[in-house]
Amino acid sequence: MPNSSAFAIKICGLSTPETLRAALDAGADMIGLNFHPKSPRFVTLERAIELAEIARGRAEIVALIVDWDERQAAELVEALKPDWLQLHGRETPEQTAAMRRAGGLPVMKALGISEAADLKTVASYRDAADRILLDAKPPKDAAYPGGHGRPFDWGLLADLDPGIPFMLSGGLDPANVAEAIQVTHPQGIDVSSGVESAPGVKDPARIAEFIAAARKAAAAIQKGSPA
């Protein structure tokens, strides 16, 4: 079982060995492989297996799926052997719990936040998911889920039940990640487009800058001092 208590930095949407190694060398704790065909970060199973073998033993491997059924999830787990499943679709709490049973792995459920009322939805998943990934809601005309590089109002999380473990996503980048961590005190952070030079194209320098800033901010909170 992955360590759910340590602060985790996740680089999601990696698709090449070069950028994956850059993330590992910079100290990423988790790497995300995106299986949603409409995403510019989509990887085939064959490419994902190649990337997973590079990362195995150095970082936790997260498989991002959108509205899959239990059979599909179980087959992916058998082939890829990831450490986590990340559900980024419209999965209900019941479906989330079922996917956890089917895959036999911890599950991270992504939920969009745009207003205080969304926190009630978060609470309904606390027993179904091992972690919640709080993201910005996508634009109404978006072709795929996720925050699309936009942050949400982090102040909304002041009313979130402190007993709910969550990671923060949505519009994070090297310039704002320290502030995001200071405001929200998450158990981890997740970035994709914020470390890219173009949609789906990861930038090794931005990855390193992001991880360094996040690590410094998290360490400052643990010590009880400003970053």
Side-chain angles (χ1 to χ4, degrees):
M1 175 76 70
N3 185 350
S4 61
S5 61
F7 184 86
I9 299 175
K10 176 172 173 277
I11 308 297
C12 198
L14 291 157
S15 58
T16 69
E18 293 76 20
T19 54
L20 173 62
R21 290 191 177 96
L24 296 172
D25 291 344
D29 302 296
M30 310 175 86
I31 61 100
L33 304 175
N34 190 324
F35 288 91
H36 190 50
K38 293 183 179 180
S39 170
R41 300 160 192 95
F42 169 73
V43 290
T44 63
L45 178 58
E46 292 73 19
R47 171 51 66 91
I49 290 173
E50 175 189 359
L51 296 173
E53 288 311 305
I54 296 171
R56 203 173 307 282
R58 296 186 63 187
E60 293 179 346
I61 300 160
V62 183
L64 187 161
I65 57 179
V66 178
D67 295 323
W68 283 25
D69 61 33
E70 296 166 46
R71 177 188 57 79
Q72 289 175 297
E75 289 176 351
L76 176 62
V77 168
E78 176 65 24
L80 183 64
K81 298 177 175 58
D83 298 295
W84 290 79
L85 287 177
Q86 178 175 327
L87 309 184
H88 227 295
R90 294 166 294 179
E91 301 89 359
T92 65
E94 294 75 20
Q95 290 170 329
T96 299
M99 294 289 271
R100 179 164 60 181
R101 291 192 298 269
L105 293 177
V107 166
M108 185 185 308
K109 178 67 182 92
L111 296 171
I113 301 292
S114 64
E115 57 187 8
D118 293 324
L119 299 183
K120 294 181 180 179
T121 300
V122 175
S124 70
Y125 282 86
R126 67 177 302 158
D127 295 325
D130 298 275
R131 268 191 186 165
I132 304 296
L133 178 65
L134 300 181
D135 201 352
K137 287 187 174 179
K140 291 183 178 180
D141 59 349
Y144 55 93
H148 290 251
R150 304 178 311 165
F152 62 90
D153 179 3
W154 301 323
L156 293 171
L157 301 188
D159 295 324
L160 183 67
D161 181 344
I164 297 176
F166 76 94
M167 294 182 72
L168 184 68
S169 186
L172 300 179
D173 59 35
N176 68 12
V177 66
E179 180 187 359
I181 292 170
Q182 291 161 6
V183 170
T184 65
H185 288 214
Q187 281 69 47
I189 45 90
D190 183 325
V191 67
S192 187
S193 62
V195 291
E196 293 180 345
S197 57
V201 182
K202 292 291 187 287
D203 182 327
R206 286 181 66 80
I207 290 173
E209 185 181 357
F210 180 90
I211 291 176
R215 195 72 72 196
K216 180 180 178 182
I221 287 175
Q222 291 173 351
K223 294 178 181 178
S225 61

